[in-house]
């Protein structure tokens, strides 16, 4: 299904459509729409196929509209679990339909629809509300496109020091997406509000107005501090096998110095000799 979407051009069309909706719809209405589309699609093909096909499209659409990809991908991911209405929606429904054939009155598809449709409608509304509220509180999905995600798009995404209002949030720098330069000799970068700017005014460009690759995000990982006694010249306690020696206590409860551990002498083992043949 994913290969068919790509070859037919449907992937590009869906991405362009969602990119236009990102800047025109309210975030809650966008979440409700994506959840509804995902819940309907999962009734006809598996959730794995839906996630494999649609999640990359939504990420591309979010990057194209200079929005946070989590704003589109979170409701689509939750919608993969709302498969209640048809036997083809989930393997559990298929098992129930198959086992019902052994009953005096087997289950029919319309019984799945009558039972699953109200459940689908209720869960679509509840999940949309929860994703909209918890996505902002837990994942900060309604924030502008962060620099960490922008650094993953090394060919087109740049973070420039342009202050402004992005998604109702005042920022000192924001992401911009480099546009196609077929009809222009100067690079143009698209901001979230639809403005095209010259990125060479904010970052140094190479010869021929070519932008350098975006700087990678600095890693917060630090090397662990050295362990006392493991570094040359350190005056910490000596260690045997990575552990400090345990102090010895005499019968009066006073600590005494531990006796040095002397190597155990190796006792030669007797090798059995075969009896000589006469």
């Amino acid at each position: 299904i994913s290969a068919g979407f790509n070859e037919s051009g449907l992937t590009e069309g869906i991405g362009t459509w969602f990119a236009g909706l990102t800047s025109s719809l309210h975030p809650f209405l966008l979440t409700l729409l994506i959840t509804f589309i995902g819940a309907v699609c999962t009734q006809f093909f598996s959730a794995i196929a839906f996630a494999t096909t649609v999640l990359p499209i939504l990420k591309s659409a979010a990057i194209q509209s200079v929005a946070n990809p989590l704003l589109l991908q979170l409701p689509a991911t939750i919608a993969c679990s709302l498969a209640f209405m048809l036997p083809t929606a989930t393997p559990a429904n298929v098992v129930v339909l198959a086992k019902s054939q052994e009953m005096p009155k087997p289950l029919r598809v319309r019984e799945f629809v009558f039972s699953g449709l109200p459940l689908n409608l209720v869960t679509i509304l509840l999940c949309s509300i929860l994703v909209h509220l918890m996505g902002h509180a837990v994942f900060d999905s309604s924030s502008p496109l962060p620099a960490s995600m922008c650094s993953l798009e090394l060919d087109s995404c740049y973070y420039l020091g342009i202050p402004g209002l992005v998604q109702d949030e005042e920022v000192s720098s924001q992401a911009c997406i480099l546009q196609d330069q077929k009809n222009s000799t100067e690079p143009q970068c698209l901001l979230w509000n639809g403005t095209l700017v010259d990125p060479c005014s904010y970052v140094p460009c190479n010869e021929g107005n070519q932008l350098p690759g975006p700087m990678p995000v600095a890693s917060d990982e630090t090397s662990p501090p050295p362990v006392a006694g493991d570094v040359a010249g350190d005056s910490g306690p000596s260690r045997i096998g990575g552990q400090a020696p345990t102090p010895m206590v005499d019968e009066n409860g006073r600590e005494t110095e531990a006796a040095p551990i002397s190597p155990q002498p190796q006792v030669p083992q007797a090798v059995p000799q075969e009896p000589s043949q006469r």
Side-chain angles (χ1 to χ4, degrees):
I1 296 176
S2 178
F5 278 19
N6 294 328
E7 294 176 0
S8 63
L10 185 59
T11 299
E12 183 178 357
I14 296 176
T16 305
W17 182 61
F18 273 113
L21 292 177
T22 303
S23 57
S24 60
L25 278 182
H26 188 272
F28 174 72
L29 296 179
L30 184 62
T31 300
L32 181 62
L33 177 62
I34 295 176
T35 306
F36 175 78
I37 294 176
V40 172
C41 291
T42 50
Q43 309 303 323
F44 300 98
F45 50 92
S46 66
I48 297 176
F50 174 78
T52 306
T53 305
V54 176
L55 289 182
I57 298 176
L58 295 178
K59 178 186 176 182
S60 177
I63 295 296
Q64 184 180 346
S65 58
V66 203
N68 195 332
L70 293 178
L71 183 65
L72 306 181
Q73 290 183 315
L74 276 179
T77 305
I78 298 299
C80 293
S81 302
L82 307 182
F84 309 118
M85 198 167 57
L86 291 177
T88 57
T90 178
N93 292 0
V94 177
V95 172
V96 171
L97 181 64
K99 295 298 291 183
S100 70
Q101 304 303 316
E102 303 175 0
M103 300 171 57
K105 186 180 180 181
L107 295 176
R108 291 172 293 182
V109 175
R110 66 179 183 180
E111 294 174 346
F112 279 87
V113 175
F114 291 155
S115 302
L117 182 58
L119 186 59
N120 265 114
L121 295 177
V122 172
T123 52
I124 287 173
L125 181 60
L126 290 179
C127 289
S128 300
I129 296 174
L130 290 176
V131 169
H132 179 68
L133 296 177
M134 298 187 66
H136 174 69
V138 179
F139 299 100
D140 203 12
S141 59
S142 60
S143 64
L145 179 63
S148 58
M149 292 187 181
C150 187
S151 65
L152 300 177
E153 301 291 330
L154 299 179
D155 296 333
S156 60
C157 189
Y158 291 82
Y159 228 76
L160 304 180
I162 304 176
L165 190 65
V166 180
Q167 294 180 230
D168 300 330
E169 182 176 338
E170 193 72 27
V171 296
S172 59
S173 60
Q174 55 183 300
C176 75
I177 304 300
L178 189 65
Q179 301 299 297
D180 194 1
Q181 297 180 238
K182 291 182 180 179
N183 301 327
S184 177
T185 57
E186 297 182 356
Q188 293 181 332
C189 219
L190 178 67
L191 300 179
W192 178 81
N193 59 2
T195 306
L196 291 174
V197 298
D198 183 9
C200 295
S201 303
Y202 303 92
V203 294
C205 295
N206 302 330
E207 297 181 0
N209 290 332
Q210 296 294 327
L211 285 170
M215 296 297 293
V217 179
S219 176
D220 295 335
E221 295 181 358
T222 56
S223 57
V227 181
D230 291 346
V231 181
D234 185 56
S235 59
S238 61
R239 295 171 179 267
I240 300 175
Q243 299 180 356
T246 304
M248 299 183 64
V249 181
D250 58 7
E251 58 184 2
N252 296 326
R254 292 175 298 181
E255 294 185 0
T256 59
E257 295 184 357
I261 301 176
S262 58
Q264 297 292 335
Q266 297 182 357
V267 179
Q269 297 180 357
V271 180
Q273 298 181 358
E274 297 181 358
S276 58
Q277 298 180 359
R278 296 183 178 179

